[in-house]
C-alpha cells in the first residue's frame, strides 16, 4: 500500500498493468535496447478518494531533453486551443494582462494568446519541445513549474491573471508544489484553469490505456475540489470537454473570490449518484482491460493467420499500455504510422513496433489498422479516408474491440 500524494492517506490499488516501459521513451533500433521499467498500477486514496498511480516515475525521466510528444500534431487540438484562448482572454483585466501556461509543449494556448496581443509565458521542462515553441517566437522557460519557478516568474514579470494548463497538471505527482507555485504567482483575482482526462469518461469507456506513467492522477471533481481546498484554493467552475476522449476543465481561484458556478454542484451530485470514485465503479476498469486483453490479440492473431497485413495508427503514449499489457508486438502489428518527427524511425516502448511516417500508410495500405490514437478518430479517419475506400478496416478497442 502506498501513501496518497495529496493527503498522505492509504492508497488501495484497483488495477495492475504489470511492468511497463515509459510510454514516451521510444527505442533506438541501433541502441543497446535497455529500457527503464516500472510497475504500472492505479489505486484510490481511502481518505480523499483521489485516483492515482501507486508508483510515481521521477519527473526527469519522463520529461527529458528529447521528450517526443508534440501538441501541434493535431489540427483539432490547435482549434481547441484557439477557441479556449478566445473564451479565457475575455475574462482578463483590461490593463496589461499576463498569462502563464504550464506544460505549453510546442505551443499550446500561447500562439492564440500572443495573436491577441496579450503577454504570455510558457513553462515546460522538455528542452526540444520548449525549443520548438521558442522557434515559433513564443516566450518559454525551460523548467518544471513548481514553487521556485513560480516565485522566479513573479519576480521577473509580476503576477499572472491566468495560469492555464492542458494535459499537464495530472502529470505532476507533487500537486502541493503546483498549488504552492500558483499561490506565489497568481494575482488576487486571477484564475488557475487546467484540463485533463476525466475519470468519468475513462471508466464509462473502459479506456484503460489512459493509465500511463505520465497520467499520475485521473481527476474527478470531488477529489479535485478537496485537493484545491487543502492547498488553499476554491474550485469555482468545471466544464466537460470532448477532446482526448473526454476531459474536465477545472477553474480554481483564491478562497472567497468567486462564487462556484452551478456546474460544480451538479458535477459533484452526479459523481455521488453514480458512485464514480467508489470501489465497484473503479474495479470495472480492470475488468475492461482484461476483456481487451482477451479479445484484441486473438483478433490480430486470426487476421495474421489468414495472411492479412495489420498496421497501427498513432504511436500514442496510451498505446504503450495496450501493446505491453496485451502482448502485442511487430508479429501482430507490423508497423505504426505517426506524424511526429521525433517518433519516426524508432520502435514503440517495450512492444518494439517500428514507427513510420504517415506516408508509409498508403504504400501499400494494410488490410487492417489498429486505431491507437482513438481520441483523434475523426481527424485521422477523415485524413486517411483513402484507406477505407481501398477496402481497409479500422480496429478499435475503446470502448470495446470492434472492426469498423
Ligand atoms: N499542453 C500540451 C502538452 C501536454 S504534454 C497539450 O495539451 O497538448 C505534457 C507537457 O507537460 C510536456 O510537454 C511536459 O514537458 C510538460 N510538463 C511535465 N511536467 C511539468 C511541470 N512540472 N511543469 C511544466 N511542464 C511540465
Ligand atoms: P495523443 O493521443 O494526443 O496523446 P498520447 O501520446 O498522450 O496518448 O497522441 C496522438 C498521436 O497520434 C501523436 O503521436 C500524433 C499522432 N497523430 C498522427 O499521426 N496523425 C494525426 O492526424 C493525429 C491527429 C495524431
Ligand atoms: Zn488522499
Amino acid at each position: 500500500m502506498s501513501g496518497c500524494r495529496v493527503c498522505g492517506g492509504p492508497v488501495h490499488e484497483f488495477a495492475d498493468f504489470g511492468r511497463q516501459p515509459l510510454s514516451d521513451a521510444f527505442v533506438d533500433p541501433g541502441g543497446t535496447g535497455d529500457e527503464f521499467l516500472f510497475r504500472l498500477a492505479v489505486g484510490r486514496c481511502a481518505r480523499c478518494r483521489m485516483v492515482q498511480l501507486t508508483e510515481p516515475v521521477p519527473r526527469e525521466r519522463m520529461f527529458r531533453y528529447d521528450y517526443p510528444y508534440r501538441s501541434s500534431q493535431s489540427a483539432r487540438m490547435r482549434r481547441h486551443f484557439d477557441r479556449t484562448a478566445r473564451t479565457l482572454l475575455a475574462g482578463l483585466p483590461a490593463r496589461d494582462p499576463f498569462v502563464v501556461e504550464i506544460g505549453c509543449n510546442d505551443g499550446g494556448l500561447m500562439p492564440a494568446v500572443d495573436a491577441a496581443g496579450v503577454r504570455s509565458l510558457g513553462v515546460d521542462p522538455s528542452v526540444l519541445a520548449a525549443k520548438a515553441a521558442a522557434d515559433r517566437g513564443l516566450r518559454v522557460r525551460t523548467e518544471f513549474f513548481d514553487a521556485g519557478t513560480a516565485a522566479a516568474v513573479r519576480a521577473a514579470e509580476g503576477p499572472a491573471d491566468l495560469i492555464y494548463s492542458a494535459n499537464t497538471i495530472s502529470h505532476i505527482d507533487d500537486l502541493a508544489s503546483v498549488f504552492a507555485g500558483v499561490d506565489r504567482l497568481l494575482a488576487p483575482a486571477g484564475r488557475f484553469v487546467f484540463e485533463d482526462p476525466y475519470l468519468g469518461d475513462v471508466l464509462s469507456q473502459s479506456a484503460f490505456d489512459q493509465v500511463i506513467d505520465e497520467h499520475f492522477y485521473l481527476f474527478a471533481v470531488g477529489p479535485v475540489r478537496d485537493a484545491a481546498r487543502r492547498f488553499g484554493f476554491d474550485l469555482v467552475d468545471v466544464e466537460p470537454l470532448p477532446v482526448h476522449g473526454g476531459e474536465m476543465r477545472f477553474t480554481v481561484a483564491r478562497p472567497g473570490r468567486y462564487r462556484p458556478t452551478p456546474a460544480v454542484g451538479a458535477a459533484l451530485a452526479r459523481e455521488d449518484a453514480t458512485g464514480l470514485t467508489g470501489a465497484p465503479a473503479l474495479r470495472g476498469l480492470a475488468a475492461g482491460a482484461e476483456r481487451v486483453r482477451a479479445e484484441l490479440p486473438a483478433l490480430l492473431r486470426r487476421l495474421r493467420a489468414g495472411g492479412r497485413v495489420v498496421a497501427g495508427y498513432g504511436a500514442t503514449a496510451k498505446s504503450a499500455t495496450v501493446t505491453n499489457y496485451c502482448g502485442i508486438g511487430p508479429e501482430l502489428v507490423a508497423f505504426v504510422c505517426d506524424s511526429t518527427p521525433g517518433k519516426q524511425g524508432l520502435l514503440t516502448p517495450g512492444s518494439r513496433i517500428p514507427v513510420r511516417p504517415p506516408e508509409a500508410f498508403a504504400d501499400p495500405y494494410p488490410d487492417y489498422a489498429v486505431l491507437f490514437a482513438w481520441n483523434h478518430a475523426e481527424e485521422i479517419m477523415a485524413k486517411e479516408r483513402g484507406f477505407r475506400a481501398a477496402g481497409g478496416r479500422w480496429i478499435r478497442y475503446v470502448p470495446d474491440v470492434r472492426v469498423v
Side-chain angles (χ1 to χ4, degrees):
M1 203 159 47
S2 53
C4 174
R5 296 292 281 131
V6 175
C7 79
V11 174
H12 297 289
E13 193 175 301
F14 61 84
D16 176 5
F17 299 98
R19 293 197 68 73
Q20 291 276 349
L22 304 184
S23 61
D24 266 308
F26 289 79
V27 177
D28 179 354
T32 63
D34 286 347
E35 287 184 84
F36 172 85
L37 300 176
F38 74 106
R39 187 165 157 273
L40 181 65
V42 57
R44 184 203 58 167
C45 173
R47 195 184 293 160
C48 77
R49 299 174 298 151
M50 186 68 92
V51 171
Q52 57 197 280
L53 299 189
T54 56
E55 190 180 312
V57 171
R59 61 187 193 173
E60 294 80 8
R61 272 196 184 274
M62 295 185 283
F63 308 112
R64 56 195 188 280
Y65 179 82
D66 56 354
Y67 175 74
Y69 185 78
R70 293 294 177 271
S71 309
S72 61
Q73 293 302 309
S74 164
R76 181 190 184 202
M77 287 310 296
R78 292 198 301 271
R79 285 195 300 274
H80 170 77
F81 288 127
D82 285 348
R83 263 199 310 273
T84 299
R86 275 200 296 279
T87 309
L88 295 180
L89 293 179
L92 293 184
R95 280 195 51 189
D96 188 29
F98 178 38
V99 176
V100 171
E101 180 168 6
I102 304 174
C104 61
N105 197 271
D106 65 352
L109 192 77
M110 293 203 304
V113 176
D114 280 22
V118 171
R119 186 159 55 100
S120 77
L121 179 72
V123 181
D124 198 302
S126 296
V127 175
L128 294 183
K131 185 175 177 308
D135 288 346
R136 300 170 68 182
L138 303 168
R139 291 201 311 135
V140 198
R141 282 179 87 111
T142 311
E143 277 173 304
F144 287 95
F145 181 89
D146 53 24
T149 311
V153 172
R154 169 138 196 172
E157 317 231 1
D161 302 290
L162 168 67
I163 302 178
Y164 173 78
S165 188
N167 305 297
T168 302
I169 301 305
S170 62
H171 296 39
I172 306 176
D173 64 295
D174 191 355
L175 214 49
S177 76
V178 171
F179 278 95
V182 171
D183 190 31
R184 301 264 163 101
L185 183 56
L186 195 67
R191 289 182 176 83
F192 172 34
V193 177
F194 57 100
E195 54 193 63
D196 289 275
Y198 178 55
L199 179 66
D201 293 302
V202 172
L203 297 183
S204 68
Q205 303 176 92
S206 283
F208 71 93
D209 59 350
Q210 292 280 20
V211 180
I212 54 171
D213 53 346
E214 293 170 20
H215 293 173
F216 185 79
Y217 295 108
L218 289 177
F219 287 147
V221 176
V224 167
R225 191 244 346 231
D226 294 352
R229 194 173 280 167
R230 163 178 291 271
F231 298 126
F233 288 86
D234 283 351
L235 177 65
V236 297
D237 194 21
V238 292
E239 183 189 350
L241 302 173
V243 297
H244 287 307
E247 301 207 317
M248 192 64 81
R249 176 177 291 161
F250 300 94
T251 301
V252 159
R254 294 192 185 277
R257 261 296 156 172
Y258 301 101
R259 184 199 297 266
T261 62
V264 177
L268 290 169
R270 207 166 39 244
E271 289 186 355
D272 283 345
T274 56
L276 180 64
T277 54
L282 297 174
R283 272 199 301 271
L285 190 66
E290 276 173 34
R291 242 181 350 260
V292 172
R293 182 162 63 173
E295 294 172 16
L296 183 59
L299 169 65
L300 299 175
R301 271 195 294 273
R302 275 199 309 279
L303 295 173
R304 294 292 296 126
R308 307 294 187 201
V309 177
V310 183
Y313 211 103
T316 57
K318 294 182 285 293
S319 71
T321 297
V322 178
T323 56
N324 290 296
Y325 177 71
C326 298
I328 295 169
E331 66 295 341
L332 294 181
V333 174
F335 60 94
V336 49
C337 289
D338 195 288
S339 60
T340 316
K343 297 181 182 179
Q344 294 163 1
L346 301 178
L347 309 172
T348 58
S351 43
R352 308 280 171 105
I353 301 170
V355 183
R356 299 197 183 149
E359 297 73 52
F361 195 51
D363 190 26
Y365 282 124
D367 300 301
Y368 292 81
V370 183
L371 187 57
F372 289 119
W374 54 267
N375 46 310
H376 299 290
E378 269 178 36
E379 182 172 350
I380 290 174
M381 287 178 173
K383 189 182 287 179
E384 299 290 0
R385 62 178 86 77
F387 171 55
R388 287 218 41 155
R393 291 287 174 266
W394 294 101
I395 299 173
R396 305 203 50 171
Y397 55 89
V398 174
D400 44 37
V401 177
R402 58 175 87 151
V403 177
V404 293

